[in-house]
Structure formats: structure tokens, C-alpha cells
Amino acid sequence: SSSPLSHGRSRLQESGSCSGSGAEWRQPGRRRRRQVALAVALNLRTFLRLQPHSNGKVDLSLPNIGIKWAWDVARLQLLDTSFLEQGDITTPTPELVEKLKEVAGLPEDCAVTESLAVLAFLYLYLSICRKQRALPSLDIVVWSELPHGAGLGSSAAYSVCLAAALLTVCEEIPNPLKDGDCVNRWTKEDLELINKWAFQGERVIHGNPSGVDNAVSTWGGALRYQQGKISSLKRPPALQILLTNTKVPRNTRTLVAGVRNRLLKFPEIVAPLLTSIDAISLECERVLGEMGEAPAPEQYLVLEELIDMNQHHLNALGVGHASLDQLCQVTRARGLHSKLTGAGGGGCGITLLKPGIPGVGGPGCQPGLLRGVHLENSLERKKRPRNRSQLCCVALGKLINLSGSLLSSLVK
Amino acid sequence: MLSEVLLVSAPGKVILHGEHAVVHGKVALAVALNLRTFLRLQPHSNGKVDLSLPNIGIKWAWDVARLQLLDTSFLEQGDITTPTPELVEKLKEVAGLPEDCAVTESLAVLAFLYLYLSICRKQRALPSLDIVVWSELPHGAGLGSSAAYSVCLAAALLTVCEEIPNPLKDGDCVNRWTKEDLELINKWAFQGERVIHGNPSGVDNAVSTWGGALRYQQGKISSLKRPPALQILLTNTKVPRNTRTLVAGVRNRLLKFPEIVAPLLTSIDAISLECERVLGEMGEAPAPEQYLVLEELIDMNQHHLNALGVGHASLDQLCQVTRARGLHSKLTGAGGGGCGITLLKPGIPGVGGPGCQPGLLRGVHLENSLERKKRPRNRSQLCCVALGKLINLSGSLLSSLVK
């Protein structure tokens, strides 16, 4: 699964885009509590199918982005991978990534997306399988319902799937499926190990991510993130969120740098703004915690006010976009409230759907944690119904374009 | 006692930054507008006090003798009488307003009566006057029309009662009062504002009295030195709104979400201070980087005002239309409709360059009515100049300006 961030986009913590050491902004002479972010899992998933090969190769297919690679296991086995042996969890430094590039044999003109996906795979494969007597010959296919580069955590979901699958193959974690099980999850300790490796995969791809994306993808549900500490929100309510993809591409690093520059240029103006955003996250967390199975209208009203205020704050930080303004206006005309999610400058937006809006499911949606990474019984998979009404924060599984066609049919 | 005609005029104002936050103790910047309210006062011989406000169709008259007989002891509370609700109620009886009188009309009448009875209280006999007030300012658009009205009334009545001298000298086209006189005018104008608005901040009457650019915080008002020659486009969305409701809404949001809104007000305060700093550094030919900063401040403040809940779709439209032409806008005043300001910078087609000479925009002043016709209408020596036309949001004037 993957994670749109719902609130608390402290730009300095944006996953994958902080430059340098990721040192937080600090007002001279004053320690600051770092910003709180809230993220929820989305029911758009990435799937990985792994099966043993008998051809002495490692095959990696990513049909979504047209990647198809293969390596000879024997050749990989001969490589000097001592650079990976740095304790239990190897930290991917830039030098390590460079060495991996040599190993991968990537062509000069390889697209960035493709090369990072390949490198992350190789990193995880070589590191996790390092202790095996022989590197396993595997056939791996990964496909996804998530668009790439839209702030929805697709790379984290990819890393989580890879980590979980490889750790299971290498028997570092058990296979939790029992007889008759359609699907099952790993234990808490196993999930922690999966998450640790997934985070390293994220670091290969993004450089200095916050860790939120892989955490949500591993554990599911709703998470609170602050200063590297991640905790689950207890009893997150059954909310429905409409996800809209503006299809406007943007560069996360540039947007994050722009906010940092604005903070440096106008510290007295921007610092309190970040404080205000932090307070919005905390208030949202509080309201979510109080919402039971049938949230009251006043509680929805509060969530909507928080969404509006945060959206204005994000515009004030300079990460807005005309397409997002349009989303907000279109939804506002129907009594709904939206904000950008993620880096902004385009990308995706979220709209809170509330009961009573035509087309929106009522409290029949049973509350329950949105599942994080899990193992599916491939034989059983066909029988499982596609609509998983027991999900918690449900995203309508379609990404709509901004023509609003799906939106208007939904809320006619 | 006066024997000649008095012609007084006072400007309206726009808030550059700090609206709403100013109510909560933050800094606001306001500049005078070259749209003015005019008052002509002449002595009457018919024993009446006539008040005409042609803009809003008000025409009232009272018998001086009848007013003289009233028990106005409720006004005698020292030098400056504070208009309490009880006092306003008593004034209503005095005014003889009908039940169905429009609010605008009754408040204008009450403010006049209050100032007339209070300022002229010390005269042996209440003067018989003919007063006409007209204005270039629309009412209720956040441009300080009621303050300009109160300032004109205060200045005229104080002059009639010789509490302040007539500063016009021979050959003068126009002249201003001294600093001390302006302070007295402003004090009374503020009371007039209190009759009309209940609990105003005092910025409007201060700008209308002194002109130029002012900084206001918690009752302390100071002039910005050397404000630069900026051109501002003023747009009236024509969307009516209730200032008290909008102000109350912000207060409610602050009470509901103190940890969210309080830092937001702090941020707005910082925007005002940064704007003041930049304006102080701008000389006669501001640099492009300085305009860029002013534009960034405008954008951020507009988002903050939206976050406070005082935005409106019409204002969003203004911002989008101007943004499409590379210009930056924000609401001015209460929001929820009303007016918006757009910063015009040199290089935009149709915008005048630095030929605009800097100088303080005049506050209230006395005009020589005989000379008035000769004075040219475009006063290029003004400082923060608003293009004197209010345009509607169809953007027709805007597009002709920036084609």
C-alpha cells in the first residue's frame, strides 16, 4: 500500500528531497520541536509476485514502467560485495550506489526512474540474500495501481514489497500464511525488519527520505510522524477520501528548496506559518482520535476547516498551483473541501467526502485498520472480492483527471 | 462665528497589510487614497441645521431652537464625549429618525448630530448651518468613507466654533491645519467613527486626517517616513459584506483553534513589518527586487486572509485575473467581497513610470472654494496613488490598462 500525506507537510522533512544532511531548520538560539505529519494508507496497492527460477538468472519485471532486466546469478555471486557488509542493515551511501551502478550494468541513457528502481532492487537483493550460501535464482514481477512521482508513495510500496518478499525467500522472516488463509500479515517484529530494509531501499531511490512512506506502506492505517518517530493513530475513523491527480508534473526537490529559501528570506513570516501547520496536524490527530464509528457533522466540519487552512498555508509557502486551485474550486462548488497532498506544484490533491453527499458511501463502511504490507495467497486471490469495505481510510480506487468527469458523476 | 463658506475635504484609505490582525494587536499599514470626501458648510439664516448627503439621498433638517432646548447634559463628560450605546439611543430620540430608516442613513445622521451637539456645545447659541457632504468614495467598501465623513464634519464644526483656526491665507488654494489642530480633529473624528462603527480601530480617521502612509498598532499611530511613489489599482468587487460579521468570524476561529490562528496572526504582523521596512528603503526609483518582495508579501498575506476565513470567490477571481498578467493582488479591508488592491509596477503597459513625484498624500484640508475650480484634477504630487476609478470585476478597465 502507499501513503498520501494528509497534513503537516513540513517541507524540511519531505521524503526524498532534502539536500545535504537533512538538518532541520532551527531558529538561532532556540530549540524547536519538529513538525508533526499525519499520513494515511491508501487502498491503491503495489503487488509483487516472486517465484523461484531454474534458469540461473534473476529476472526483474516492472510492467508499469516497461522495465525488464535479468542478471546471471553466477556473475552476481562473483562480485565483491564486501561494500555491503556493514552490519545488519547496510546504509546506501552515494559511493555504494555508484558501485551498484557498475554491478547493474545500466546504460548511459537509462531513464532515472528505471535506474533507481533497478538499483534499489539490486541493493536489497544483494544485501538481504548476502547470507545465503548461494544467491537465489528468482523471477520477480512488480506491478502497481499507483502512479509514479505523484506523491503517493509508489517507490516506498515497491521497496516494502521487495523487502518483504526477499526476507521471506531468505527465511529471515516466516511465511505467515496458514492453511485456508486468503491473506495474512507478519508479526510486529517482522514488520519492523521489513520496514528497516524498505527504508534503505527508499534511501537508494530518494537520497534522504523521511521514512513516513515506507512506514505507512508497511503498517497501514494512519500514522503520525515526528522527528523520525512514527506512531500509529489509534482507532482511525472510517473516512472516505477522493484522490485527484492533476497530472501536472513537478520536481519535489525544487519545491522543497523553494520553501527553505522562503524561510531563509522571511524567517519571521514563515516560521510562525510552519508552527500553524504543525498545530493543524495536531488538531486533526485529536479530532480523528475522538471520531468513533459514526463521526458527528461538527467533527467533519472541523476536518474541513483544517483542510482549508492548511491549503492556504501551503499556497503561502509557495507550493500551490493553478491546477490545485481549480480542484479546490470545483470541489468547493459542491460543498467539499480539498488540499494538495505531497509536494504540491501539481501532483495530487485529496478531497474529504462526507456522508450525505450523493454517491458517497455512508457509515456502512466498517472501520478497521487499512492493511499495510501483507502476503496474499495467490490461489485464493481470485475469490477475494475487490471492494474491501473493511478498510479504514478508503480512497476511491480511481485516480481521476481534473476534467472532473468522475467527480461530477459521483456527486451529481 | 463663521461668515463665509467652508470647503473641507478628506481622503479615503486602503489597508496595505494587517487588516483583521490589527484587531488582535498586530501592526497594520494604511495609505491614503486620492478619492476624497468633500464638505461644504455655510451659515444659514433660517434657524435650521440642514444636512445633505446627496450620494446616499439623505436630506435632514432640524430646528436649532428645538435642539437648543434639549437636555444634552448626557454629552457633558469632559472634553471629548465617548459615545456609549445609551448616548446613541438618546441621540436617536433627538434625531427623530423614523422606524424604517436605513441603517446607513441613521448612522450618518447620528454621527452628525453627535458631533454637532458636542462640538458646538460651548457656543452661546447653536449655529444655524447648511452642510452638504459628497464623496468620491463608495460606502461600505472598506475605503474609509465614514471616517472621511467624520473627519470632514469634525474639521468643519471645530472651525465654525473657532476651536481651531481657519488656516487659509490670502491667495491660498488649499491649506492644512497645524499638528495640534489635526490631533483635535482626529480625536473628534474618532468619536464620530465610534457612533457609526461601535468599536473601530482608529486607523481610518487617522489616515483621513493626516494623509500619507501610516503604521498603526494598538492605538499607536505613526507616519511612515518617505513613502515611495507606488501605484495601486483598486478594484471593487461590488460584493457587499458585513464587517462586524467578518471580524467576529476571525475572532471565533481564533477561539476555536488558538494554536493554529495565533501564529497566523504573528505571521501577518511580520508581513506588515517587512513591508514597512521595504517601503522605507525604497527611494524614488524602487528596484525590481524590492517590487518582488512587495509582491511576495501581498501573495502571502492574501493566503493568510483566506486562511482566516475572510476570503471570497470574487477576490479569488481578482487575484487570478491579475496574476495572469503578472500582477499581484490582495483584498483590502474586511474581505468577504469589498475591494482589492493590485500593485502596479513600472514596465506594465499603461502604468505611469517614476514621473509620479513623491510627496505626502494630503489628509484633511481646507479648500478655497473660489479657487477650487482652477486646481487641476490629477494631483501628480501624490504619494501612494490609487487610479481614481473603481472598476468592476468584468475587468474592462483592467484589460485596457494592461493590454
Side-chain angles (χ1 to χ4, degrees), chain A residues 22 49 89 118 120 139 144 189-190 197 236 290 309 323 341 345 371 402:
Chain A
R49 188 195 69 185
I89 301 284
V118 165
D139 177 27
S144 183
E189 291 73 24
D190 296 337
W197 279 110
E290 287 178 0
M309 287 191 284
S323 60
T341 178
R371 283 172 296 179
L402 207 53

Side-chain angles (χ1 to χ4, degrees), chain A residues 8-36:
Chain A
R9 297 302 305 181
S10 169
R11 296 277 135 226
L12 304 178
Q13 296 178 348
E14 171 64 47
S15 77
S17 52
C18 287
S19 57
S21 64
E24 296 296 336
W25 168 84
R26 193 160 291 188
Q27 202 166 48
R30 249 211 283 158
R31 287 190 66 81
R32 268 181 57 90
R33 180 178 62 81
R34 292 183 189 166
Q35 314 286 138
V36 171

Side-chain angles (χ1 to χ4, degrees), chain A residues 262 265-266 268-270 272-273 275-277 279-280 283 298 301-302 305-306 308-309 312-313 315-317 321-322 325 329 332, chain B residues 253 256-257 259-261 263-264 266-268 270-271 274 289 292-293 296-297 299-300 303-304 306-308 312-313 316 320 323:
Chain A
R262 187 160 276 197
K265 189 173 181 182
F266 303 115
E268 306 295 324
I269 299 172
V270 179
L273 186 56
T275 300
S276 185
I277 293 176
I280 289 174
E283 181 67 17
E298 306 84 63
L301 185 64
V302 171
E305 287 175 298
L306 297 177
D308 286 346
M309 287 191 284
H312 294 308
H313 287 6
N315 279 328
L317 287 176
H321 190 271
D325 293 340
Q329 284 168 21
R332 194 194 313 150
Chain B
R253 187 160 277 198
K256 189 174 182 181
F257 304 115
E259 307 294 323
I260 299 171
V261 179
L264 187 55
T266 300
S267 187
I268 293 176
I271 289 174
E274 180 67 17
E289 307 83 63
L292 184 63
V293 171
E296 287 176 297
L297 297 177
D299 286 346
M300 286 191 284
H303 294 309
H304 287 4
N306 280 329
L308 286 177
H312 190 271
D316 294 340
Q320 285 169 19
R323 193 194 313 151

Side-chain angles (χ1 to χ4, degrees), chain A residues 53 56-58 73 77 125 129 132 134-138 166 169-170:
Chain A
H53 243 339
K57 287 192 186 298
V58 175
V73 169
Q77 193 89 52
Y125 173 77
C129 303
Q132 302 293 308
L135 290 172
S137 172
L138 304 169
L166 291 168
V169 158
C170 296

